[in-house]
Amino acid sequence: TVERITVPSLEAAPPDGMEGATLYISLFSKDYHKEPVIVQPRDVGLISLKDEVADALWIAIPIASIWLSLGVAFIKSGSFTRGTLGPLHF
């Protein structure tokens, strides 16, 4: 039996009496579908925005730290003030 129950989020605990239920979601895009597609979140790789941001930060923070440390190294070495970087004379 399929029963439609509204839950606040994908991570929400199942309602009382529905502990063994399987979660399905309905996805629709007017560009790709004529009617909604019903799937399980794990089948389509659906993740929360919080997880997506966390994954992006794992990539962005190390890259930003490399550029920041490179900038600090240039400033500490005085390369900008001595004009040793070619046309960049300050």
Side-chain angles (χ1 to χ4, degrees), residues 28-88:
F28 178 76
S29 170
K30 65 179 180 178
D31 295 334
Y32 300 104
H33 306 110
K34 292 182 181 175
E35 59 186 44
V37 178
I38 299 173
V39 295
Q40 290 182 314
R42 63 182 164 87
D43 291 342
V44 293
L46 192 65
I47 61 172
S48 69
L49 180 61
K50 176 184 73 171
D51 293 338
E52 189 73 27
V53 169
D55 289 345
L57 287 175
W58 276 107
I59 296 169
I61 290 174
I63 293 171
S65 65
I66 289 170
W67 284 108
L68 182 62
S69 61
L70 182 64
V72 168
F74 275 132
I75 291 170
K76 282 187 173 182
S77 71
S79 295
F80 285 125
T81 57
R82 289 194 304 261
T84 56
L85 291 177
L88 297 175

Side-chain angles (χ1 to χ4, degrees), residues 5-15 23-25 41 46-50:
I5 298 172
T6 303
V7 292
S9 72
L10 291 176
E11 289 86 21
L23 175 67
Y24 288 93
I25 58 172
L46 192 65
I47 61 172
S48 69
L49 180 61
K50 176 184 73 171

